[in-house]
Amino acid sequence: MSQDAVPQQVVPAQPKGLLQQMEELMAALNADLSQLDADLSGPRPALADEGDRG
């Protein structure tokens, strides 16, 4: 076993700029809205007739 017990240094990720954070948030929001649109545009269950009430 020739591996030395040298701790690996983890380089911290560079902090994201505000513009990059906003772009990521907008992309996530766009994906959520697209999914919501697909859900709302899908087939709807048939509603019971309400015209036979009288």
Side-chain angles (χ1 to χ4, degrees), residues 13-44:
Q14 211 172 27
K16 296 178 185 177
L18 183 58
L19 180 59
Q20 185 178 356
Q21 289 178 359
M22 291 300 295
E23 288 174 346
E24 291 176 3
L25 287 172
M26 290 299 293
L29 178 61
N30 192 24
D32 288 346
L33 289 176
S34 295
Q35 183 63 49
L36 178 61
D37 182 47
D39 290 346
L40 293 176
S41 298
R44 297 182 185 177

Side-chain angles (χ1 to χ4, degrees), residues 2-20:
S2 61
Q3 292 180 348
D4 295 331
V6 177
Q8 293 181 352
Q9 292 182 352
V10 177
V11 179
Q14 211 172 27
K16 296 178 185 177
L18 183 58
L19 180 59
Q20 185 178 356

